[in-house]
Amino acid sequence: AQSVTQLGSHVSVSEGALVLLRCNYSSSVPPYLFWYVQYPNQGLQLLLKYTTGATLVKGINGFEAEFKKSETSFHLTKPSAHMSDAAEYFCAVSDYGGYQKVTFGTGTKLQVIP
Amino acid sequence: EPEVTQTPSHQVTQMGQEVILRCVPISNHLYFYWYRQILGQKVEFLVSFYNNEISEKSEIFDDQFSVERPDGSNFTLKIRSTKLEDSAMYFCASTRGGTNEKLFFGSGTQLSVL
């Protein structure tokens, strides 16, 4: 069975500060890992994904995440928060090497304070 | 970027009524999914659909639910007799398939069962 745990349902950062959203996963096979963002009244948008290969993955809008197998983690970071980053972020895992069944975390709402 | 389109954006229904949620996936996509998000909870997988049949479904997807691709463009989710606990945001998603392909989500249908 696969699962993800997102630490912190709400995170607040100042504009320009580092963004760090935490995600730990559990998977019985090498996982595929994803971060999605959901802006108010919008659907889910893929930020980035890890499949195989390089463990540091760069995504859209300046976000990146590092797959750490030893820590079973896939934390999302951005060096400098922007007001437009305020949204809900979901970590997700798939065992199937694709999208056959994606399991989402409970989400982290990011607030950016001016 | 291509979009998955969902209609309606909001649907209000009485308990026990049938509802049909409609989705138009991206035209060259082959795999189709429904997910739902109950307010304040995580996004949950409902069902995946490929080659005109269900390929996987979750325990949520009981006999009250059905999916159909009636005309090669629309992908529908039917709830036969709605319950209060069916109130949620329902997301449709599609992908061409393959590990390097993106999963595209629609903006969702907010279903309210009264």
Side-chain angles (χ1 to χ4, degrees):
Chain A
Q2 57 193 19
S3 65
V4 289
T5 302
Q6 290 184 243
L7 298 175
S9 58
H10 290 81
V11 170
S12 292
V13 300
S14 299
E15 191 174 15
L18 171 72
V19 176
L20 171 61
L21 305 182
R22 298 178 188 274
C23 172
N24 288 89
Y25 70 89
S26 172
S27 175
S28 56
V29 298
Y32 282 45
L33 294 158
F34 312 85
W35 275 99
Y36 284 87
V37 61
Q38 186 178 26
Y39 297 102
N41 302 314
Q42 293 188 29
L44 295 159
Q45 181 182 359
L46 181 67
L47 273 180
L48 51 80
K49 67 177 182 179
Y50 167 79
T51 54
T52 58
T55 56
L56 183 62
V57 181
K58 294 187 185 299
I60 61 172
N61 302 337
F63 284 93
E64 61 183 37
E66 187 171 9
F67 170 64
K68 291 187 176 180
K69 185 178 177 181
S70 61
E71 298 176 9
T72 60
S73 69
F74 190 58
H75 301 331
L76 181 71
T77 60
K78 181 174 180 177
S80 176
H82 192 272
M83 295 300 294
S84 61
D85 295 327
E88 189 156 19
Y89 293 80
F90 293 91
C91 183
V93 63
S94 171
D95 276 352
Y96 289 84
Y99 292 109
Q100 182 60 8
K101 178 182 175 182
V102 178
T103 300
F104 287 83
T106 50
T108 298
K109 280 191 177 161
L110 176 66
Q111 180 186 21
V112 181
I113 303 165
Chain B
E1 194 168 65
E3 285 186 350
V4 174
T5 306
Q6 288 187 246
T7 55
S9 56
H10 292 86
Q11 173 111 31
V12 181
T13 190
Q14 296 290 325
M15 190 169 57
Q17 294 295 304
E18 174 185 285
V19 293
I20 297 176
L21 309 183
R22 302 182 191 280
C23 170
V24 179
I26 294 167
S27 61
N28 62 348
H29 284 188
L30 301 175
Y31 297 81
F32 314 106
Y33 307 84
W34 283 100
Y35 286 80
R36 80 171 185 190
Q37 185 181 24
I38 295 172
L39 185 64
Q41 298 184 26
K42 62 182 176 181
V43 179
E44 300 172 293
F45 169 80
L46 291 179
V47 65
S48 58
F49 192 86
Y50 170 71
N51 200 26
N52 282 322
E53 62 183 25
I54 290 173
S55 46
E56 187 167 357
K57 60 183 180 179
S58 72
E59 59 275 11
I60 302 168
F61 194 89
D62 61 20
D63 292 344
Q64 295 297 317
F65 291 87
S66 62
V67 288
E68 197 176 37
R69 191 158 156 79
D71 56 12
S73 62
N74 290 285
F75 179 52
T76 61
L77 174 69
K78 182 192 290 186
I79 309 175
R80 191 152 54 92
S81 177
T82 50
K83 302 188 284 285
L84 296 176
E85 53 266 37
D86 294 327
S87 295
M89 178 74 86
Y90 288 81
F91 291 105
C92 173
S94 71
T95 180
R96 285 200 297 190
T99 52
N100 291 318
E101 296 294 329
K102 277 175 64 174
L103 183 63
F104 289 81
F105 282 87
S107 56
T109 294
Q110 179 65 53
L111 176 66
S112 297
V113 182
L114 305 179

